Amino acid sequence: MTSVRFQESPISIIDRKASSYEDHTAYPMANVGVQTRHSGEDDLDEEDSPYEEVRASVSNTDDPSMPVNTFRMWTIGLLLTILGAGMNTFFIFRSPYRLIVSYAVLLIAFPIGRFMAYILPIRQWKLPRWIGGGSFSLNPGPFNIKEHVCIYMMANAAVFPTYAMNTIVTTEHYYNLRWGIGFNFCLAISTQITGFGYAGVFRRLLVKPASLIWPQNLVISTLLNTLHAEEDFTFYMSYMPMGDTNTYDRFGKVYNISRILTPQVTLNLTAYEEYSDLYLSPPYISSYLLTFSLSTCIITHTILYHGRTLWNSFRHVDPEEEDIHAKLMKAYPEVPGWWYWTVIIGFFLIAAAAVQAWPTKVPVYALILSVVLPAIYMLPGGLIFAVTGQPLSLNVLAQIIPGMLLPGNPIANMVFKCYSIETLYSAQQFSQDLKLGHYIKVPPRTTFFVQLIASCLSIVTQVGVKEWLFSVVPDMCSSTQKDNLTCPRHRVYFNASAIWGLVGPTRMFGPGALYNVFLWALFAGALAPFPLWYYQRRFPSTRLKYVNLPVMLNGPQSAPPATGINYVSFFIVGFIF
């Protein structure tokens, strides 16, 4: 090994032979055994997950020396994050919209990683002592599975448009309140990163247990293992339109919300009484009935099916023995809990600054409640997601509460809803990726920075692309926009803000109101799990043990804006394949 020093730079370049490049393989897990305290003499290769589907998809070995925090991982991951987030921000405004999913990024990243491993110099640069010493390499070995999964985690955390974009576009376009890029950035980043902090705080309960398999991660693990296993692998109901997502007045016309607004963007009660009650179209009726039921059903379901496990966890009694994956992860330093708490507190302060510095009419106590609500539902929702692969939302509950606390104020309702829903959704997504990193044996501290940095960069990209689009594209969000940039998601969000924030839950669902009967769905949802739970306990071998009521209630809630064709095509493809 020879050392060459450039006159212009104090960095030493150490030339490495080709054989040393092969010291690291892209997928060494097939032949690596690691000893642990679990067995003094037995190799851990003989131990595996107690769950068949995990054994079939996830390797039970690890190579702690495999390079992860590499130049090419960060380069590919951040570049694809910027491109994916920017393109999806554009596509989300189209009707119909099509999005670049994180699976696509995973596949695109593979040939790029292989290409970079081929062209980058196989050398190590040695840093001088005054900046810490040590060495680094642009190309420490073949593009490997841990680098690849980090890129996927960046994409999964960052490429889908943030829920806060609904609040931003609705406030600016439909309510004509433009508070600038500062508010947009603070709102978007504080909602998403707070969820990141929640995922870390709850990781002991949602990531470590072997029984929480997170089925979507098994698909990703299988694909990653396949790609990296071989070095050379390549590859009124009758009067309302049934599928409509508008709301209507008593004349059967689309409800003109501007007629009941004051100049301060609050409810003009006199104008409302003179004009019309607000009538829901069939998609809203079915969606709200199911959501009312789900909000109480999931609590009862969690207590009945997971109550004992959660109670033991809170008592710091491990409900399960550690599986092989938890044992192998002990080779890496854990992320201190205060890191995640610092993130939660820091970004809550950004949120508080946003709602106080701009006239959102959201008091701090309401903001606190908006982030406490997802914390309450984090465990029930996370358990359902971990077992079934379906994330749950606080959609209606996050609108009823501010509708009661801050009546007649659609902006405050949207901001509260944004913090509650995005925090829970992003927390569930981040938890899923923490489990994927657990399966692939990515060092937890690397996962922490991968998720955090990619998310922050994604928010900057999304806010920037949105600002650019609305400045250069004429007639954005108009039904006559020539390129179909009609903003269907944001129209639904606007209608919801009128239902829950402007008119309010009392006038829609209170005593004597047209939709008061919907409140019985709360009671029905709370009772629904009991008969099924009792029958499953009485007859453990019944096929009804596969029935999960929260999942059944959660399935149709993408409508609106999803329509019948979305569900029919989903059912046909799922039934056939």
Side-chain angles (χ1 to χ4, degrees), residues 92 162-171 414 489-490 493:
I92 201 70
T162 175
Y163 192 82
M165 194 61 67
N166 295 315
T167 300
I168 293 168
V169 173
T170 302
T171 300
M414 288 192 300
R489 285 170 55 92
H490 310 92
Y493 199 82

Side-chain angles (χ1 to χ4, degrees), residues 301-372:
H301 176 93
T302 301
I303 293 172
L304 292 177
Y305 288 87
H306 305 285
R308 180 176 297 178
T309 299
L310 292 178
W311 175 247
N312 287 335
S313 297
F314 280 121
R315 294 169 54 215
H316 297 282
V317 176
D318 287 334
E320 306 175 11
E321 290 186 6
E322 288 185 334
D323 69 347
I324 179 64
H325 306 294
K327 293 172 183 176
L328 291 173
M329 285 299 288
K330 289 182 176 179
Y332 307 103
E334 185 55 84
V335 176
W338 67 265
W339 287 18
Y340 286 107
W341 280 111
T342 299
V343 167
I344 293 173
I345 295 170
F347 283 92
F348 174 80
L349 294 177
I350 294 176
V355 300
Q356 294 298 301
W358 286 274
T360 62
K361 302 176 183 176
V362 178
V364 173
Y365 77 84
L367 179 66
I368 293 173
L369 184 57
S370 74
V371 295
V372 168

Side-chain angles (χ1 to χ4, degrees), residues 83 174 344 453:
L83 291 175
Y174 294 104
I344 293 173
I453 293 173

